[in-house]
Amino acid sequence: MDVVSNVVYPVAGLLGLYAFVSLASLVWEGIDRKLVARMQRRIGPPILQPVYDFLKLASKETIIPNTANYMFRAAPVLSLATAIALLAYTPMGFTPILASKGDVIVFIYLLTLISFFKMLGSISSGNPYAKIGAAREVALMVSREPAMMLAIFTIMWRIGKLGVDKPFSMGTFYQHNIWEIGTPMSFVGALILLYVFAVWLASEIEAGFFNIPEAEEEIAEGTLVEYSGRYLALLKLTKAIKAFIAASLVVAIFFPWGISGYFGLTGLSANIADLLFHTLKVFAVLFVVQSVFRAVTGRLKITQAVDFLWKNVFLASLIGSLLIAMEVIM
Amino acid sequence: MNGEIILPYLIIVPLFGAFSMPIVSLAGRKAREAWAVLVSGITFIVGSAIFYAVYENGPILYTLGAKNPFGQGAGFPIRIVWEVDLLSALMVLMVTFVAFLAVLYSIGYMRHDTGLDKYYTLVIILELGMLGIAITGDLFNFYVFLEIMSIASYALVAFRNDTWEGIEAGIKYMFVGSVASSFVLLGIALLYGQYGTLTMGYLAIKLAQNPTVVAKVALAFFIAGLLFKSGASPVHMWLADAHPAAPSSISAMLSGLVIKIGGVYALARILFSIYGASVSMKTVGWIIIIFACITLIIGNAMAVIQEDMKRLLAYSSVGQIGYILLGLGIGLAGYGTKAGEIAIAGAVYHTFNHALMKALLFLIAGAVIHELGTRNLNELSGLAKTMPKTTFAFLIGAAAIIGMPPLNGFASKWLIYESSATFNQVLATIAIIGTAFCTAAYVRVLYTFFGRPSEKVMKAKDPEASMLWPVVILALAIIIMGLFPWQISDKIMIPVARTLENQLGYVATLMGGA
């Protein structure tokens, strides 16, 4: 019994989530491409195009450059594995499968580890374009994460003050949320942090301003330049899943409301209903941050992006966090 | 198993092994290597047995020359005693383990050098000195073992005396180390003159009864001397020269063991077990914390800009010593609080972990030098192509030292972060800044190793079995320890911290209820 509830259910849940999220995230990519095409008065590909792309890439011959070392082949697998592991800690409309006290650090760690593995894989190809892409990726990563971390820790700390059973866990968002604090100051702070998280999400999925490490036209796909066949398929899938996960975080923090309560659902059906509703919200967030943002803006230079993230976003994060923390500190 | 019976063999075996080495060497190269491996292997077995015995049955008191340390009619200890509590036993385990692997590694690594009978003698003497420091309960005995260890390491740093840098580093290390040792000796002389005893436990009693200015002066000398030995900033400069110049098997022992046994362990022993009740823990703690913070920042920051691989590792050792000292300092300043206890547990845990990680990294650096003959990171681009196993082990070691979760460095650093955050947030910030530098330094190395292979690198290959196995064993130890961090912490490190804090227990073991 103990084994069943501690091992079998979580594993089954994780596998189910993985199957669902891979499909949903690829479908979202199709929708995204369609929407951007419509915004530019094109018809665009069919909705399921990313799925076809994935299958086609997976069936193609994989070419390994002769300057590559073992990490070139290991990195796509490792980054997808990390993304799958991360699903167990991601809030998806309900408390994450492996939620425990302090798991926000695991969440942030695994999310950065995906980028780290991707970067390691791309420098392992030995291609200078890939190296430039990796260097940009690191610069961007180092600049974007502090703003997010400051914001998320503040929010979790503030929510913890409202009384939750596992402080600093990704499950706390479903017990209390940031809007419940209710004072005008915290409301303004939350809006500022929403802005911070939107920019963070855009830079995490490298949309619009932040399409820098992969910059197709400029450095020939950067980090992905040498990848082909199966490995490219894995990396594309990882990227899609990561976009879903990162957007899930934003949704969980700012729009955590579920619908199962309104229909009186319980147990598994409630989880499924919440998951579907959560997916809708993720799509909505990604529509604003990814589709619109990438359709209406171009790419920044890497120095501009770093400047923007530190001088604008981090500052906003600081102000928002202080506003939210204010009435507790004083 | 009775710990008191096997304890002497911890000294007998390496002593006999070292002194018989010149004779065994007459039988040729193979015999010499086999003898060195055998001796350090047996020492490792004895060390593990002692750790087990102490873990199961509590501290061991061993008196040289009699059944108990007291003379006829005398109510105080008059003989040399060895007192092995859980902390000492853990250090013994660490020393014997890493030393065994370093000796094993030397077979392949030192193949092209001459004078190897002296080399193996010195290595075993070095191990002997460290073991002696860990087990002794007598202050002068401690000094003797400290000097045995130090002199062996001076000789080993300058072992390759046909290179200019070996000689230079050896001289620097020797001058600085001798000054530091004489500080310690001066401290001991002052204490002896004032209190008339050299037994640590009994000295603790006398100190508590009559704390004098002389005792404080002696303490200042101890702290100064031992911070030198542990490579704390601003007196770390010898370390950054000595560790790169020594043969890599020796750097692994110097960086993994010597600076901890001769520096941090001795400091902890003297501060807690001797001075525990007689000085203001808070003041001493803050002095250590200040040095720890300087060490943390300088060590890790200097590691970022190095181009020499071993120098980078040496500076990183300085940085990691900063963490250990920080834990120790918080343990002193927050004596008796929860944060203090966690800090000591973290410091001890990190000592053990860092011994494994840094030994691993230096052994890898040795393998690279052995294959390519260069330590310059700029020439080592793309090493992962031709030395896959070695670079993978480096990846493990680097990730562990940064403190990435599935590896052992995470738990120990976490304990230090957690205690420093509850104790004083500024210290936690400094610790985090140190880690940021450390991450930058190692990511930079990884960036080089996994890049485009340079011409020079294409000729390299993974090292032979005797050099690869120690690396593999250390990497496995790091991974396995990383899987059970909190079990190790609860079952070993927290009890160790409690033993160290419990000065009365240390004294009671010595006095045996007398």
Side-chain angles (χ1 to χ4, degrees), chain A residues 263-328:
Chain A
F263 298 106
L265 296 171
T266 50
L268 192 63
S269 52
N271 282 353
I272 290 174
D274 279 338
L275 177 61
L276 292 176
F277 188 55
H278 174 83
T279 309
L280 267 183
K281 289 185 282 186
V282 165
F283 284 3
V285 166
L286 283 175
F287 170 70
V288 178
V289 173
Q290 190 178 4
S291 313
V292 175
F293 192 48
R294 113 181 144 93
V296 301
T297 62
R299 181 164 46 240
L300 291 183
K301 286 182 190 163
I302 181 69
T303 49
Q304 290 169 331
V306 168
D307 264 10
F308 177 67
L309 285 170
W310 280 111
K311 290 183 185 157
N312 186 324
V313 181
F314 186 77
L315 203 64
S317 176
L318 202 62
I319 294 169
S321 300
L322 281 177
L323 284 177
I324 284 188
M326 205 68 99
E327 77 247 44
V328 177

Side-chain angles (χ1 to χ4, degrees), chain B residues 361-419:
Chain B
L361 293 174
F362 267 115
L363 294 187
I364 290 167
V368 171
I369 295 165
H370 192 76
E371 290 299 320
L372 291 163
T374 177
R375 306 199 305 245
N376 190 334
L377 280 171
N378 297 333
E379 297 175 17
L380 294 175
S381 173
L383 202 62
K385 174 91 179 153
T386 47
M387 295 177 79
K389 297 191 185 91
T390 318
T391 44
F392 186 71
F394 190 91
L395 186 65
I396 303 266
I401 213 162
I402 294 166
M404 285 168 111
L407 301 164
N408 67 357
F410 170 69
S412 54
K413 276 198 176 178
W414 180 260
L415 292 176
I416 293 172
Y417 294 148
E418 191 188 339
S419 56

Side-chain angles (χ1 to χ4, degrees), chain A residues 186-259:
Chain A
S186 73
F187 185 77
V188 176
L191 285 182
I192 293 175
L193 290 190
L194 183 58
Y195 160 75
V196 170
F197 269 95
V199 180
W200 169 78
L201 180 59
S203 66
E204 187 77 45
I205 59 185
E206 294 166 8
F209 281 177
F210 303 104
N211 180 17
I212 302 170
E214 277 167 26
E216 282 137 40
E217 303 81 8
E218 185 187 355
I219 50 168
E221 289 260 9
T223 46
L224 297 180
V225 62
E226 286 285 5
Y227 276 107
S228 57
R230 256 175 303 147
Y231 296 127
L232 188 57
L234 287 185
L235 282 172
K236 295 257 183 205
L237 179 63
T238 311
K239 189 175 181 207
I241 293 179
K242 188 177 147 194
F244 193 94
I245 290 173
S248 288
L249 177 68
V250 179
V251 168
I253 295 174
F254 294 99
F255 318 105
W257 307 283
I259 52 164

Side-chain angles (χ1 to χ4, degrees), chain B residues 154-197:
Chain B
Y154 307 150
L156 283 166
V157 165
F159 185 75
R160 285 176 171 158
N161 55 12
D162 52 340
T163 59
W164 65 267
E165 65 166 347
I167 301 288
E168 191 213 353
I171 287 178
K172 197 181 225 177
Y173 185 16
M174 188 178 71
F175 275 99
V176 171
S178 312
V179 172
S181 298
S182 59
F183 278 10
V184 173
L185 185 60
L186 196 54
I188 293 172
L190 285 173
L191 278 186
Y192 187 56
Q194 183 72 26
Y195 296 103
T197 180

